[in-house]
Amino acid sequence: GQNIDQPTEMTATEGAIVQINCTYQTSGFNGLFWYQQHAGEAPTFLSYNVLDGLEEKGRFSSFLSRSKGYSYLLLKELQMKDSASYLCASVDSNYQLIWGAGTKLIIKP
Amino acid sequence: IAGITQAPTSQILAAGRRMTLRCTQDMRHNAMYWYRQDLGLGLRLIHYSNTAGTTGKGEVPDGYSVSRANTDDFPLTLASAVPSQTSVYFCASSLMTGGNSPLHFGNGTRLTVT
């Protein structure tokens, strides 16, 4: 079967760094997305990885290892507005998105 | 402002009633999707459309139907609502199907079936 695993909840301190992990098992692989979703709002696109390595976008970076079926989202210099759920989604061989349940990130001052 | 508009924002519906959730996009995206989001579960695809005039079934299509008469509109209909259809429904679009085309989401419809 197809499966995406990510931690349910994480807590971090304002100004710190946090890494949110995602492991995936899908039939085929055509890339991995990360989305941010604030409570009561729509998911918004953060990043897409299809090749191994680290992609950096300002305070946010996303890493992919295809051989390990593993990705992480790295958030630096955490701000209170980063409190949100972070959704990992893998693209399978049929170009369908398989979504994780999301990681709720709580930022404390 | 370009984007996706969903209506209504929220709705309380009696079981057995028929309901259509509306979704309109003005980005000229080819692909559109309907998802439901339930606590503790990932987004689950209900139906999708790769281009105007075509639709397909997702992971949880039972009890729902869609149509795609034109590029902009993608309504979702619940023919006879049941309590298990209580959920938050998101419409989304992407420039094309597959690969690295990110999804753009509407603000969601919160539906409660009593």
Side-chain angles (χ1 to χ4, degrees), chain A residues 35 37 42-43 48 95-96 99-100, chain B residues 35 37 42 45 98-100 103 105-106:
Chain A
Y35 284 79
Q37 185 177 24
Y48 172 78
Y95 294 96
Q96 297 289 334
W99 293 85
Chain B
Y35 285 94
Q37 187 174 42
L45 183 64
N100 65 350
L103 269 60
F105 286 85

Side-chain angles (χ1 to χ4, degrees), chain A residues 15-77:
Chain A
I17 299 172
V18 70
Q19 177 175 312
I20 303 173
N21 296 325
C22 170
T23 58
Y24 61 89
Q25 292 176 308
T26 55
S27 57
F29 180 78
N30 283 296
L32 188 135
F33 286 95
W34 283 97
Y35 284 79
Q36 180 189 59
Q37 185 177 24
H38 285 101
E41 297 183 8
T44 55
F45 169 73
L46 287 177
S47 67
Y48 172 78
N49 294 67
V50 67
L51 300 176
D52 285 355
L54 187 69
E55 299 258 352
E56 297 187 67
K57 276 187 187 180
R59 294 189 300 113
F60 291 12
S61 302
S62 55
F63 172 84
L64 176 67
S65 169
R66 294 178 66 137
S67 62
K68 294 182 179 178
Y70 168 69
S71 173
Y72 67 73
L73 183 68
L74 191 71
L75 290 73
K76 302 176 186 176
E77 301 169 17

Side-chain angles (χ1 to χ4, degrees), chain B residues 22 38 55 59 65-67 74 76 80 91 98 102 104 106 110-111:
Chain B
R22 300 184 299 278
D38 301 290
T55 62
E59 179 187 355
S65 63
V66 292
S67 62
F74 191 45
L76 176 74
S80 179
C91 180
H104 297 256
R110 186 173 297 273
L111 181 67

Side-chain angles (χ1 to χ4, degrees), chain B residues 40-55:
Chain B
L41 298 177
L43 287 163
R44 291 184 292 169
L45 183 64
I46 304 171
H47 285 285
Y48 64 93
S49 169
N50 290 333
T51 188
T54 69
T55 62

